[in-house]
Amino acid sequence: MNRLVTIPISHYCEKARWALDRAAIDYIEDQHLQIFHYAATLWAGGGVTAPVLTHATGVLPDSNAIMRWVDAQRRLVAPLYPADRLGEVEAWVHRFDEELGVPGRLIMYQETLSYPVEMVRWIAGSAPAYQSSIFTRGFSLARRYAKARLGVSAEAAKRAHAQCMGLFDEVHGLLKDGRLYLLGEAFTAADLAFAALASPLVIPPQYGIPLPTVDELPASYAAIARPFREHPAGRYALRLYETERHLRAPTC
Ligand SMILES: N[C@@H](CCC(=O)N[C@@H](CS)C(=O)NCC(=O)O)C(=O)O
């Protein structure tokens, strides 16, 4: 059986989950909280980051490798990587990974690391209960670790905010001509990556694990999320979640 090792809240893991779900590929998800995931990803044959997918003949230690593998398993009418747009799709996915995934995650940590109990509830998914319990009790250590590993600070979050807003404006620029999807008329890995990686900013209700509503977020986080949700690119990400996240893609 395919096994996907994840950090449940991770939006890179969400990319992999979404791709597998969309192609109706069976898998077991093995969820672990941050730091605890190291044992699971390394044991699975991956590196220090999640997701890692183990399948019958190999190990894929990266969300983009997983999306590419999914495409190779099924002849989808709308593949994630259409052959005639490969370069463009890959370029957008790479940009979203670096310019949205990384700064969006930093904002999420900056805005939640002061709320240990709520945060652990939001990020836990179905990770083992002992992990949540240790995480909550050792939260000050986890907070220090997150700050050091990801460079979380108020100053960095401010820069991250400007970077994400700039990218949202750029995405809006693409969509202005009325196209249905980022590259035209078909959903691709670029759309999936944009919507999944925008999740910490737009908080989609259809995310792969239950998220708090915007009103349940700490006030300062909600004040950041609302303008992103109302931005045309944010509305686009929310629409993709609503219409595509739980859709099974037709095969040829
Ligand atoms: N390029 C990787 C990045 C994945 C990634 O950064 N995952 C984060 C979770 S959001 C992680 O596992 N971080 C753990 C760490 O860096 O210690 C992918 O797309 O799979």
Side-chain angles (χ1 to χ4, degrees), residues 122 199-205 211-227 229-230 238:
W122 294 330
S199 293
L201 304 172
V202 302
I203 327 285
L211 296 182
T213 65
V214 185
D215 293 333
E216 288 167 334
L217 291 176
S220 67
Y221 191 0
I224 290 171
R226 285 199 182 95
R229 287 168 61 86
E230 285 154 20
L238 289 169

Side-chain angles (χ1 to χ4, degrees), residues 7 10-12 37-38 48-51 62-63 105 145 149:
I7 293 171
S10 158
H11 50 355
Y12 293 100
H37 77 279
Y38 290 130
V48 295
T49 61
D62 175 85
S63 62
R105 176 176 62 191
Y145 175 82
R149 176 115 177 110

Side-chain angles (χ1 to χ4, degrees), residues 44 48 76 81 124 134 137 169 187 245:
V48 295
L76 298 174
Y81 293 89
I134 295 175
R137 279 184 281 138
D169 289 344
F187 180 89
R245 175 62 180 89

